[in-house]
Amino acid sequence: MAEPGSAESTLLRGTAISAAAVSVVLYLFGLLLVGIALSEAGSGADSTPMHQCRDAGDRRQNVQVDAAQVQFLPLRLLCRTPDGREFTSGVVPSWLNPTLAVSFAATVALTAAAFVQADRRAAARQASARS
């Protein structure tokens, strides 16, 4: 016979694992996009500075770009001009970081709920064993 609350506990653990897997997949997808952009830079004619830095839509055209920097949290690729200004290249889609944040928050909340549920089940087992 199954213990009371075991189905809820299993559901919580499974959902927490799924949310964690989604977080990992989203982050790896973002890293893949950044890695591909960085690997294209410097290989071939007209590859330096990066196309993603030259063609970013939120700045004026023909701005000199002297460096690109990866930022891991939030995940993005920053382009830097010689005068020190920075702007986002747009390599990482705008929806990725907010979705990653929600997925990570869900992972934390569901994991905490699973631990609380496991504590309650353990306390209930001890109480029934004493009776």
Side-chain angles (χ1 to χ4, degrees):
M1 184 168 120
E3 292 183 40
S6 65
E8 293 87 1
S9 181
T10 303
L11 180 64
L12 275 174
R13 283 194 311 262
T15 309
I17 290 169
S18 297
V22 167
S23 296
V24 168
V25 168
L26 285 172
Y27 194 76
L28 289 176
F29 174 66
L31 284 178
L32 178 70
L33 292 174
V34 170
I36 289 171
L38 288 174
S39 72
E40 290 176 353
S43 59
D46 193 37
S47 63
T48 304
M50 297 173 57
H51 290 281
Q52 292 83 355
C53 290
R54 285 186 298 185
D55 303 334
D58 61 343
R59 60 168 188 80
R60 68 181 201 275
Q61 293 295 324
N62 298 324
V63 170
Q64 271 194 318
V65 175
D66 66 348
Q69 175 187 5
V70 177
Q71 191 174 27
F72 292 100
L73 285 176
L75 188 58
R76 60 185 174 171
L77 184 63
L78 294 174
C79 303
R80 188 175 313 124
T81 61
D83 61 0
R85 288 182 292 137
E86 292 181 338
F87 59 93
T88 304
S89 67
V91 169
V92 177
S94 61
W95 57 265
L96 186 74
N97 283 314
T99 306
L100 185 58
V102 168
S103 175
F104 183 73
T107 300
V108 170
L110 289 166
T111 301
F115 276 113
V116 167
Q117 180 72 15
D119 266 355
R120 288 181 180 166
R121 286 182 56 210
R125 274 196 303 262
Q126 286 180 351
S128 67
R130 290 182 194 157
S131 305

